[in-house]
Structure formats: structure tokens, C-alpha cells
Amino acid sequence: MRKHRVVFEHLTGLTVAVFDALAGDLVPLVEAAHRKGLERPDRQRAVGGGDHFDLCIADQLLLAVIWLRQYPTNEVLGFLFGVSDSTASRVRTRCVPVLAKAGRDTMRMPDPGAPRRKRLPAVLQDTPGLAVIVDSFEQRTQRPKRSPRAYYSGQKKTHTLKSQVTVDEA
């Protein structure tokens, strides 16, 4: 999103430079809060066990800032960041308290409530520069010698290469 400054500013209400300064201040706080959670006495797994986040901490903060500003659904956040909706929810519940504790959640808009959160069409309508087109297709190929099951398409009843193309206006 750094390449599309207008989209970045619309989704976050911050410039890229201001967000970088915010992330520089808050990344250590998020890491410290995460370490504190890992070292709790009732933890079942050893430190280092369990699932790891797919996003770096700066991207986790960006996800939380976008949620505070726009209140999209977890599905929309997951789509924007390339993660599942449950990961988006975990990131949000992990980062928003740190932002609040640091006094940096002032960009918070009034929460519309779960039934009125923005779905993807509303976010795309409010942010036209964010619109992308995604298309997937399969190309028939010869049966591969290694791991043929990975290339078999039950839909096409043959071996295929799966491709996905994403296009934006820029």
C-alpha cells in the first residue's frame, strides 16, 4: 500500500511518514505485550510453540489502524492483507489494546456495531484506488512425474497448472 499513497492516507488517515514514526514507537510495545503473553504461568505450550503470525508487526499495526479508521469486517481485512479472517481478528485484538494503552487510538471513529461494519463493496466504493481485479484459470499440462496429485484438477478431470492474475489501475 506504500506505493499508493492516496489509498494509504484514505484507509488510515495518516501519511506514510507519520505511520512509520508511529510504527517505530509501537513495534517494541507490541513485542513486549506479546512476550508478556508468552511468559504467563498458565501457558500450556513452551515459549516458541504454537502458531506464528503471517504478518510482520508493522503490518499488524497497519491492520489495526485501518480497523480503527474504517471498521471493515474481518473478511475484508483478511482480503486486504492476504490472511484469513481469523488471523485478522487475532491481530486486531492483539494490537488495538497496545494502541489504546499508548494513547494512539485517537483515530478511532464511533463503532457502528458488528451488523453495520463495512463489507468489501463499501470499502471499494469509498476507496476507488483500491479496486483490483482477480482472475484464476487452469491450463492443461502433461502429467508431471513428481507429485502428480498436486497438479490434478477434479474440476477439469485432468492435470493442470493453476494460475491467478491480479490487476489494478496503476
Side-chain angles (χ1 to χ4, degrees), residues 29 36 95-105:
L29 297 176
K36 183 178 177 184
C95 291
V96 170
V98 174
L99 283 165
K101 190 174 184 180
R104 301 293 180 93
D105 65 340

Side-chain angles (χ1 to χ4, degrees), residues 20-42:
D20 287 341
L22 176 78
D25 294 342
L26 293 179
V27 165
L29 297 176
V30 173
E31 288 175 343
H34 184 60
R35 268 194 314 276
K36 183 178 177 184
L38 291 177
E39 296 168 354
R40 68 183 189 276
D42 61 335

Side-chain angles (χ1 to χ4, degrees), residues 105-134:
D105 65 340
T106 56
M107 74 275 301
R108 180 185 292 260
M109 304 283 281
D111 188 351
R116 302 182 90 190
R117 292 198 199 284
K118 291 184 180 179
R119 308 267 188 253
L120 186 59
V123 172
L124 291 176
Q125 183 180 7
D126 293 345
T127 315
L130 185 65
V132 296
I133 298 173
V134 180

Side-chain angles (χ1 to χ4, degrees), residues 7-64:
V7 173
F8 188 93
E9 289 178 16
H10 180 79
L11 288 176
T12 63
L14 305 171
T15 64
V16 175
V18 170
F19 176 78
D20 287 341
L22 176 78
D25 294 342
L26 293 179
V27 165
L29 297 176
V30 173
E31 288 175 343
H34 184 60
R35 268 194 314 276
K36 183 178 177 184
L38 291 177
E39 296 168 354
R40 68 183 189 276
D42 61 335
R43 184 174 164 85
Q44 293 179 356
R45 291 186 177 98
V47 174
D51 196 15
H52 300 284
F53 285 97
D54 297 333
L55 299 172
C56 68
I57 295 179
D59 287 344
Q60 292 177 29
L61 284 170
L62 180 60
L63 186 146

